[in-house]
């Protein structure tokens, strides 16, 4: 009865292929149901990210992100949405990213990227699937202000899980029938949202927690092993660089 999701910016903000490879390995251990990417995933270039998506290393969703060969030929970068049965419910999950997150981004890193209007993309998904689904969840790498705009313009959303602005939302924001949540910055917290539904499959209760990832939580052995391997490889690279 659990969904595990992420809303992007899990890669290094600086080009670091080795670190990103280990990041993907660790995330694979978590067994995410769905992930949308953020602007940081483009730091090493759009072709690098496309290679990762093509290998299906993560269950990426980004309904409004396209790769364009030219002005006429564009194709989706990822599957747009996921429909999954959870706890006897039909749950639709759609991923989006705002074009605004690339305002100050190096243009050479996103050459060929086309980002469609996120609100219109979500609205189209709702029109197509609302009657068939019990819950609609939006994974949004747009920032809190944009999430609020999307929620206001797209009736039918149940939950928006946000990213990019790194907002620490201590109490879910509810407006126009949707809940907006976001768990802060730098992986300091895990957000946990528990929804109770009645017989009519409407949300009747909401519990929300921000769980701080403190040193009191024991390290996972498999993750610690990967961190050790990364540090060893990084140390070798540094040593070789100093020798040269």
């Amino acid at each position: 009865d659990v969904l595990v999701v992420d809303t992007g910016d899990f890669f290094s903000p600086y080009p670091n292929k080795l670190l990103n490879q280990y990041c993907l390995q660790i995330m694979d251990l978590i067994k995410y149901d769905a992930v949308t990417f953020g602007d940081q995933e483009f730091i090493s270039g759009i072709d690098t990210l496309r290679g990762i998506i093509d290998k299906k290393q993560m269950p990426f969703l980004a309904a409004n992100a396209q790769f364009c060969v030219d002005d006429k030929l564009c194709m989706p970068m990822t599957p747009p949405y996921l429909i999954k049965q959870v706890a006897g419910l039909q749950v639709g999950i759609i991923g989006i990213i705002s074009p605004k997150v690339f305002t100050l981004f190096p243009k050479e890193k996103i050459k060929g990227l086309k980002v469609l209007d996120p609100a219109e993309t979500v609205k189209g998904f709702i029109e197509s699937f609302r009657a068939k689904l019990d819950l609609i969840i939006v994974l949004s790498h747009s920032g809190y202000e944009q999430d609020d705009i999307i929620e206001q313009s797209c009736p039918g959303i149940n939950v928006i899980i946000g990213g990019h602005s790194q907002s620490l939302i201590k109490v879910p924001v509810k407006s126009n029938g949707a809940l907006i949540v976001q768990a802060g910055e730098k992986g300091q917290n895990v957000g946990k949202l528990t929804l109770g539904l009645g017989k009519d499959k409407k949300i009747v209760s909401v519990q929300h927690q921000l769980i701080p990832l403190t040193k009191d939580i024991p390290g996972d052995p498999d993750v610690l092993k990967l961190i050790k391997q990364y540090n060893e490889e990084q140390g070798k690279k540094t040593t070789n660089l100093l020798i040269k």
Side-chain angles (χ1 to χ4, degrees):
D1 298 349
V2 176
L3 284 170
V4 183
V5 299
D6 195 285
T7 55
D9 278 358
F10 38 82
F11 279 177
S12 169
Y14 307 100
N16 191 330
K17 184 178 180 181
L18 181 65
L19 180 59
N20 293 344
Q21 287 174 344
Y22 274 91
C23 180
L24 284 171
Q25 290 183 64
I26 289 173
M27 292 180 75
D28 184 56
L29 294 173
I30 299 172
K31 304 300 180 187
Y32 282 95
D33 293 285
V35 168
T36 197
F37 45 65
D39 46 300
Q40 286 183 196
E41 278 67 71
F42 288 85
I43 288 292
S44 296
I46 190 172
D47 289 336
T48 298
L49 179 57
R50 287 182 65 212
I52 293 168
I53 293 169
D54 290 344
K55 291 178 183 176
K56 296 181 169 52
Q57 290 179 262
M58 291 294 294
F60 283 110
L61 301 176
N64 65 326
Q66 297 183 347
F67 175 74
C68 297
V69 178
D70 52 38
D71 294 338
K72 295 181 180 180
L73 181 58
C74 296
M75 61 198 79
M77 285 189 66
T78 74
Y81 59 82
L82 169 70
I83 295 177
K84 188 167 185 174
Q85 189 169 47
V86 186
L89 304 171
Q90 288 293 106
V91 180
I93 307 171
I94 182 171
I96 55 169
I97 187 168
S98 171
K100 293 180 181 295
V101 307
F102 297 107
T103 301
L104 302 176
F105 208 81
K107 300 305 178 186
E108 68 273 10
K109 301 289 187 182
I110 51 172
K111 185 179 179 181
L113 175 67
K114 181 179 181 180
V115 182
L116 306 176
D117 183 272
E120 290 301 315
T121 302
V122 172
K123 195 176 296 182
F125 176 73
I126 292 171
E127 290 173 354
S128 298
F129 292 99
R130 178 71 273 188
K132 304 173 186 177
L133 299 174
D134 301 309
L135 285 174
I136 288 181
I137 298 171
V138 178
L139 305 183
S140 172
H141 193 88
S142 305
Y144 175 74
E145 290 184 3
Q146 291 298 308
D147 289 340
D148 191 43
I149 292 170
I150 291 167
E151 175 240 8
Q152 292 292 336
S153 59
C154 301
I157 301 171
N158 296 108
V159 180
I160 297 177
I161 301 174
H164 185 66
S165 59
Q166 304 181 30
S167 306
L168 186 64
I169 300 177
K170 295 182 177 180
V171 179
V173 177
K174 186 172 183 180
S175 178
N176 203 29
L179 298 168
I180 301 178
V181 294
Q182 201 176 145
E185 63 177 356
K186 298 177 182 177
Q188 294 175 356
N189 301 284
V190 169
K192 182 180 179 182
L193 184 68
T194 305
L195 304 177
L197 282 78
K199 292 182 179 179
D200 58 357
K201 297 185 179 179
K202 302 292 184 183
I203 297 173
V204 295
S205 67
V206 177
Q207 294 180 344
H208 179 253
Q209 289 178 272
L210 290 171
I211 303 169
L213 297 183
T214 65
K215 293 181 179 179
D216 297 332
I217 300 174
D220 179 89
D222 292 330
V223 173
L224 291 173
K225 183 179 178 180
L226 286 170
I227 292 172
K228 182 180 178 182
Q229 289 176 4
Y230 165 75
N231 286 331
E232 289 173 351
E233 286 196 50
Q234 185 65 27
K236 290 175 184 177
K237 286 179 63 177
T238 305
T239 301
N240 291 338
L241 181 63
L242 289 172
I243 291 171
K244 291 179 181 178

